Amino acid sequence: MILLQNTRIASENSPVLVEGDVLIVEGVIQQIGPGLAVPEGARVIDARGRILMPAMFDAHVHFRAPGFENKETITTGSEAAINGGVTGVVMMPNTRPAIDSSAVVSTVLESAKRKSRIPVYTSGCVTKDREGKELAEIDGMRLLGVTMLTDDGDTTGDPAVLLRAMQYATEFGMFFASHCEVPELAGPRAINEGVMSYRLGIKGSPACAEEIIIDRDIRLARAAGAHVHIQHVSSKMGMETIKWWKSRGDVKVTAEVAPHHLLFTEEHIGDYDTNYKMNPPLRTQADCDALLEGLKEGVFDLIATDHAPHTPFEKAQDFISAPNGITGLETALVSLYHFFVRPEKFGWDLVVKRYSAEPRRLMGLPVPTIEVGQPAECLLFDTEAETTFTKEFMKSKSQNTPFINQTLQGRVDVVILGTEILLEREATVAVG
Amino acid sequence: MARKDLLDIASLQREEIELLLDQSTAFKQLLTSSGKKVPVLEGKSVLMLFYEPSTRTHSSFEVAAKRLSAEVTNFNVAHSSITKGESVRETIETLQAMRTDYIIVRHGRSGLPGMIARLTKASVINAGDGAHEHPTQALLDAFTIKEKFADPRGKRVLIIGDILHSRVARSTSTLLQKLGVEVAYLGPGSLVPKYGPATIRRFTNYDEAMAWGPDFVYLLRVQMERQDVQFFPSLREYHRIYGITNTRLEDIRQRGLYIMHPGPVNRGVELCDAVMDYERSLINNQAENGIAVRMAVLNWLTPGGDLPKREPAYASRSGAAPALVMP
Ligand SMILES: [Zn+2]
């Protein structure tokens, strides 16, 4: 039994926070109301000043296993998730070997069961070894629960191959997540083509490299009657392309945006800072502004971090040599609060809807809510406390984030999943 | 203000540039009058780290360092532009033991000299990094222009060629603009990015560019090795559209324009043979001035001190991402 006293409850349906106590018995929310009696033997958490909300779900993470365990493992990745208030993730399949067969899927899921305290789901490749040539073992993966197919890290280059995959797999209720980039236009450098690529003398990737594939893949999905999910959109025109297709209503499209694309621009790269090197690249303030509008309007169904760990050694190279990607699981919720909720750019309801509810709906999973009779899957967020993202604070094996050693307002204090308290930042629990 | 490194022109103050150009004048006088060594860097060591072959820049730096009585070491690196940041780091960590005072580095990767500067207390001079910067080239160009016009403010320089890949274009245009010189670019649309600085005019037509009224025509070297990706159909066509042909040279002579080129020249591509005998060609002056300018740079930098730290761009904005006001 866990009793949360004097909390304020956030939900996806209302910007208003509801005050009250919440009693959790055997992992299920049993009572909500003001001044609940303290049952004997209950663990009491005084949640005064803190906000209770459903725990987050990240539909786009790289846990690097198998093959790159020096960057991240399922254990460190899932602990990082908990540290950030996330209780479920979907891994991307660009591992070594790539997650493209029932054999690899079952290995990964087996090890996730043993090594993670939260549910870890995996997507599967569209094509064998992500090479864009032969179809991966699609139905074999589906039988193990895979629903999302993606060659993330790259676009499935040959549209004929992707179309065939869509025609085939839609039959089994699977959907496609698209990393959108024409490689011939983008080059390998992960910087926006523009003022900064000129100034730094690095070949840039124009926004049209992304926009072409967004449009292409939605058209393919329409032709195949498939559901396509557009990953980590970075450009204004990309957002507008999705918006236009959604307004037509004759193709199933969902889309995600990452916090870093809302927060940072190419200017932040400054003096070749590799913590700002990611793919798709950071673009301009106009793009950031448009993405924020897209998020508020619902063009983006969900927020996902594209958590992409790399070792300090790899990121300490020159900009061109360094790998793409930044970690996001531990900083996402706090940064969303600090930069958007606190200055009232949007409310907690949007955070809960876009980072907790919608990603689970995308994956066909039950959506936790703070309601009587629902399983407990929630977190307490302290809006008055601060978080400093030191190396010691981070649970991820890698700390390649612009927020390293920075302090932001807000803190994830407690994370509860069923009967377990997965995270308890300070000893706030007493026994009643 | 003492500086440890010279990595780019962009971060130089106008006063620093003026100082360097004045000192270059002094070193040039010294060179031409005596041709002797000066003991300015006696007991100091200079390490040459050239990952890209360049006889011209390499020997210019070497002569400059020796004239200042420094001890020059050439680190033998594979002449490969694909040598990655990882192995360069290892090299630098090994070289720390050598206690070198100056490192002169050229590399095909943009930003790599800056990375080295953060790893070592030695003064690092960028001798060209990718398509980023080539600061001493810019200084010698400005010096050469100032030999013709002591006050170059309001003069016009037309830079012709592959702007997209040219560190010379970036550094020289930045420096000249800091001195009040007007700069314009001319080249094929595929090689003159439209998102370059708004302060630089952009032409794709030769006659329109000449009508702008330049005082100097600065030809960039066409990078033959880049022809695996086609930015223009053929060298012949390039010469016809953007090169200084015999006819165009006659026009330039009549207008009294100066011609510059960082070298080495591709004859028959950027320019016809006759340009080499043109009385207002400054190509040889540029090469000669390179030594004096590089002496001034070596003399100016101060090795040692704290390693330059990179302030996260995020932090420098007082904790807020751009346009997001901190509550
Ligand atoms: Zn991706």
Side-chain angles (χ1 to χ4, degrees), chain B residues 129-174:
Chain B
D129 62 332
H132 178 222
E133 286 241 27
H134 192 355
T136 56
Q137 177 73 44
L139 286 162
L140 75 88
D141 289 340
F143 184 80
T144 306
I145 286 171
K146 281 191 74 169
E147 282 187 320
K148 296 298 160 194
F149 299 98
D151 182 0
R153 275 177 298 178
K155 295 293 167 209
R156 292 184 161 184
V157 175
L158 177 67
I159 302 180
I160 305 180
D162 177 356
I163 306 299
L164 184 64
H165 300 106
S166 175
R167 53 201 176 205
V168 174
R170 278 173 184 70
S171 289
T172 296
S173 64
T174 306

Side-chain angles (χ1 to χ4, degrees), chain A residues 287-309:
Chain A
D287 292 294
C288 285
D289 295 344
L291 295 176
L292 179 61
E293 281 314 302
L295 178 64
K296 283 157 69 171
E297 289 174 28
V299 177
F300 298 113
D301 301 83
L302 49 110
I303 295 167
T305 64
D306 192 6
H307 178 79

Side-chain angles (χ1 to χ4, degrees), chain A residues 60 62 92 94 130 150-155 178-181 231-232 256 279-280 306:
Chain A
H60 191 149
H62 299 269
M92 293 297 118
N94 55 340
R130 298 170 56 252
T150 178
D151 282 343
D152 183 43
D154 296 290
T155 293
S178 282
H179 170 117
C180 300
E181 178 184 40
Q231 298 176 298
H232 45 46
E256 72 192 30
N279 191 11
D306 192 6

Side-chain angles (χ1 to χ4, degrees), chain A residues 27-38:
Chain A
V28 176
I29 297 172
Q30 199 168 70
Q31 263 187 292
I32 301 175
L36 295 184
V38 180

Side-chain angles (χ1 to χ4, degrees), chain B residues 225-281:
Chain B
E225 61 272 20
R226 252 190 261 283
Q227 286 308 302
D228 56 326
V229 179
Q230 272 203 319
F231 288 95
F232 50 85
S234 74
L235 292 173
R236 254 186 69 186
E237 191 162 310
Y238 181 92
H239 182 63
R240 184 165 55 78
I241 304 177
Y242 304 103
I244 305 302
T245 60
N246 284 315
T247 323
R248 283 174 175 170
L249 180 60
E250 213 31 63
D251 176 55
I252 282 172
R253 191 191 301 274
Q254 274 167 25
R255 292 170 187 256
L257 312 189
Y258 291 96
I259 291 184
M260 298 174 74
H261 189 299
V265 168
N266 297 306
R267 294 190 185 204
V269 182
E270 296 100 68
L271 45 80
C272 60
D273 280 346
V275 172
M276 303 312 278
D277 302 320
Y278 174 45
E279 59 280 9
R280 290 197 162 190
S281 161

Side-chain angles (χ1 to χ4, degrees), chain A residues 22-148:
Chain A
V22 174
L23 178 66
I24 300 164
V25 179
E26 285 172 6
V28 176
I29 297 172
Q30 199 168 70
Q31 263 187 292
I32 301 175
L36 295 184
V38 180
E40 204 169 319
R43 303 180 71 183
V44 179
I45 299 178
D46 180 9
R48 199 182 305 268
R50 290 184 281 178
I51 297 172
L52 178 66
M53 66 191 85
M56 303 298 135
F57 187 98
D58 203 320
H60 191 149
V61 303
H62 299 269
F63 279 180
R64 305 300 187 200
F68 305 98
E69 286 85 354
N70 56 326
K71 298 173 195 267
E72 193 81 289
T73 64
I74 290 177
T75 305
T76 58
S78 56
E79 288 303 314
I82 294 166
N83 208 22
V86 174
T87 55
V89 296
V90 184
M91 298 190 299
M92 293 297 118
N94 55 340
T95 50
R96 191 186 296 150
I99 304 174
D100 61 357
S101 68
S102 54
V104 186
V105 169
S106 70
T107 311
V108 165
L109 292 181
E110 275 307 309
S111 106
K113 254 180 230 150
R114 281 182 285 115
K115 294 175 177 169
S116 168
R117 298 194 287 149
I118 57 169
V120 171
Y121 304 89
T122 187
S123 54
C125 295
V126 179
T127 61
K128 271 186 194 151
D129 212 18
R130 298 170 56 252
E131 280 185 339
K133 297 188 184 116
E134 294 172 63
L135 298 189
E137 198 199 325
I138 290 174
D139 193 51
M141 297 193 288
R142 179 190 67 94
L143 290 171
L144 295 166
V146 171
T147 55
M148 180 196 281

Side-chain angles (χ1 to χ4, degrees), chain A residues 180-182 185-186 192-193 205-215 235 237-238 283:
Chain A
C180 300
E181 178 184 40
V182 180
L185 283 173
N192 183 45
E193 182 181 274
S205 173
C208 69
E210 177 181 34
E211 291 146 12
I212 288 166
I213 301 295
I214 291 176
D215 192 62
S235 74
M237 280 290 287
R283 302 203 192 269

